[in-house]
Amino acid sequence: MRAVIPFAHSDPKSRLAPVLSPNERASFARVMLEDVCKHVRDAGCRPNILATADIEDAPAPVIVDERPLSTAVNDHLQPPVAIVVADLAILTPTALRRAFDLPGDVVMAPGRGGGTNVLVVRSPAFSVDYHGMSLSDHRSIAERQGLELVEIDSHRLATDIDEPADLVEVLLHGEGPSAAWLAERGFRPVPADGRVEIERR
Amino acid sequence: MRAVIPFAHSDPKSRLAPVLSPNERASFARVMLEDVCKHVRDAGCRPNILATADIEDAPAPVIVDERPLSTAVNDHLQPPVAIVVADLAILTPTALRRAFDLPGDVVMAPGRGGGTNVLVVRSPAFSVDYHGMSLSDHRSIAERQGLELVEIDSHRLATDIDEPADLVEVLLHGEGPSAAWLAERGFRPVPADGRVEIERR
């Protein structure tokens, strides 16, 4: 199966600005993309990066499409196809395979905070809408089209990396280059009031 | 199998203070406890609440133990036993059964932020340490004792409810009384910049 991985160039990972410089954010976004492409391959899929501009030394074939995310993705939704977001830094091939092996016209991995992190689309009647509350929107679209939507319960698939608190998950659960990238830059988990926080040396 | 559910009385859910009054927090903690006890039963386990003081009309038999959490839990760790935290408001019997059915001397469901939300203990050589970074500590304890520790990848088991952002998950994924309690009090998910936030009417 083909896996489309959307990747936006402009101001990547802006909500990590409190802990990473603009250059670091661009670099970290790129490392996570490599991580995701590798795991997609290891799970038996062919990754295609759907990017807003060309990517030098890309870790997978790039399709350049400058249109808004949902429009661009809907143009590449020939089933069967998987859509995997580019910032799943604690992804494993096992977690992806669990999603790929589930039945259903559409398989969806909810992202924490109401997003959609992985979609497996097996029906041409489905379309995506990443704007707003995509989890609820995708549930509605499937229902409206009479499609069976199956949701997968996975912390690794639910954890997209947007905010400083998300970096804790990468340090505690990441097995790939994204976790190594953070560790090399001095980030480590430290116990805080009730949860674990990150600290940079 | 027996399931021990620790429950602390003093200032419950303090990090929800920005959105809930003290009385509401106590009430919500109680509703989540009922939710968890029900799902534990539906997953085929016998729930026991390990509480710092007696609970009126408790949803399961109560053992009162005023000692610190880890000390109290370690006294009730006769295997096989499950330890389930009391604030898993998007728990389902299916998610619990997945944990119960996994092999291993110890099965652990990591909580978001480095906590330990579910433990299934099948060896008397294991002990708990909930203080600090319990996820890392439990990995170390198992390794030191030569025990096979298996981690389960579940968003529902990873999501304990501590902060306002966690309430979004309850509204989007909860199927029990905790989600209904929030909805009745006017909470609803609204799209915000990149994620979903909660709003109270």
Side-chain angles (χ1 to χ4, degrees):
Chain A
M1 182 167 59
R2 189 174 163 229
V4 174
I5 303 165
F7 186 78
H9 276 274
S10 65
D11 196 23
K13 300 290 114 201
S14 54
R15 281 186 282 155
L16 290 177
V19 293
L20 293 176
S21 74
N23 278 345
E24 285 177 329
R25 287 188 274 126
S27 168
F28 186 52
R30 171 65 193 250
V31 171
M32 291 197 288
L33 176 67
E34 284 167 23
D35 229 346
V36 169
C37 286
K38 182 186 182 312
H39 294 316
V40 161
R41 270 200 196 91
D42 290 348
C45 268
R46 285 169 289 114
N48 271 187
I49 302 168
L50 182 63
T52 51
D54 203 11
I55 300 174
E56 215 177 317
D57 299 323
V62 177
I63 305 156
V64 176
D65 195 323
E66 295 174 358
R67 291 174 300 170
L69 177 62
S70 300
T71 314
V73 170
N74 279 327
D75 241 18
H76 296 274
L77 220 53
Q78 293 77 24
V81 64
I83 316 293
V84 182
V85 300
D87 56 354
L88 298 182
I90 62 169
L91 197 59
T92 58
T94 305
L96 268 178
R97 264 189 230 110
R98 264 183 68 210
F100 296 163
D101 289 349
L102 279 176
D105 299 315
V106 180
V107 175
M108 176 163 66
R112 180 176 160 87
T116 304
N117 287 355
V118 176
L119 278 169
V120 180
V121 180
R122 300 194 182 103
S123 161
F126 189 75
S127 59
V128 302
D129 181 357
Y130 283 100
H131 190 73
M133 306 203 284
S134 71
L135 175 65
S136 311
D137 290 341
H138 290 146
R139 286 173 177 166
S140 304
I141 292 166
E143 196 181 352
R144 213 158 52 226
Q145 298 290 336
L147 301 174
E148 188 200 8
L149 181 143
V150 176
E151 294 187 24
I152 177 167
D153 173 29
S154 163
H155 180 57
R156 291 186 179 276
L157 300 182
T159 306
D160 49 325
I161 308 302
D162 288 320
E163 299 175 355
D166 300 327
L167 299 182
V168 171
E169 304 306 312
V170 186
L171 290 169
L172 292 173
H173 299 288
E175 299 172 5
S178 306
W181 189 95
L182 287 174
E184 280 160 19
R185 273 147 197 87
F187 287 99
R188 60 185 191 119
V190 288
D193 176 36
R195 284 204 176 175
V196 175
E197 290 184 354
I198 48 158
E199 184 183 83
R200 190 171 190 174
R201 275 172 294 198
Chain B
M1 183 167 57
R2 187 174 165 229
V4 173
I5 303 165
F7 186 78
H9 276 274
S10 65
D11 195 23
K13 300 289 115 201
S14 54
R15 282 186 281 156
L16 290 176
V19 295
L20 293 175
S21 74
N23 277 345
E24 284 177 330
R25 286 188 276 125
S27 166
F28 187 51
R30 171 66 194 247
V31 170
M32 289 198 289
L33 176 66
E34 284 167 22
D35 229 346
V36 168
C37 286
K38 181 185 183 312
H39 293 316
V40 160
R41 270 199 195 92
D42 289 348
C45 268
R46 285 169 289 115
N48 270 188
I49 302 169
L50 182 63
T52 51
D54 203 12
I55 300 174
E56 214 177 320
D57 299 324
V62 177
I63 305 157
V64 176
D65 195 322
E66 294 174 0
R67 291 173 299 170
L69 177 62
S70 300
T71 314
V73 170
N74 279 327
D75 240 19
H76 296 275
L77 221 52
Q78 292 77 23
V81 63
I83 316 293
V84 182
V85 301
D87 57 353
L88 298 183
I90 62 169
L91 197 60
T92 58
T94 305
L96 268 178
R97 264 189 230 109
R98 264 183 69 210
F100 296 163
D101 289 348
L102 278 177
D105 299 315
V106 181
V107 176
M108 176 163 66
R112 180 176 160 87
T116 304
N117 287 355
V118 177
L119 278 170
V120 180
V121 179
R122 301 194 183 102
S123 161
F126 189 76
S127 59
V128 302
D129 180 358
Y130 284 100
H131 189 73
M133 305 203 285
S134 71
L135 174 64
S136 311
D137 290 341
H138 290 146
R139 286 173 178 166
S140 303
I141 292 166
E143 197 182 352
R144 212 159 51 226
Q145 298 289 336
L147 301 173
E148 188 199 9
L149 182 143
V150 175
E151 295 187 24
I152 178 168
D153 173 29
S154 163
H155 180 57
R156 291 187 179 275
L157 300 182
T159 306
D160 49 325
I161 308 303
D162 289 319
E163 299 176 354
D166 299 328
L167 299 181
V168 171
E169 304 306 312
V170 186
L171 291 169
L172 292 174
H173 300 287
E175 298 171 6
S178 305
W181 188 96
L182 287 174
E184 280 160 18
R185 273 145 197 89
F187 287 99
R188 62 186 189 118
V190 289
D193 176 36
R195 285 204 175 173
V196 175
E197 290 183 354
I198 47 158
E199 184 183 85
R200 190 171 190 174
R201 276 174 293 201

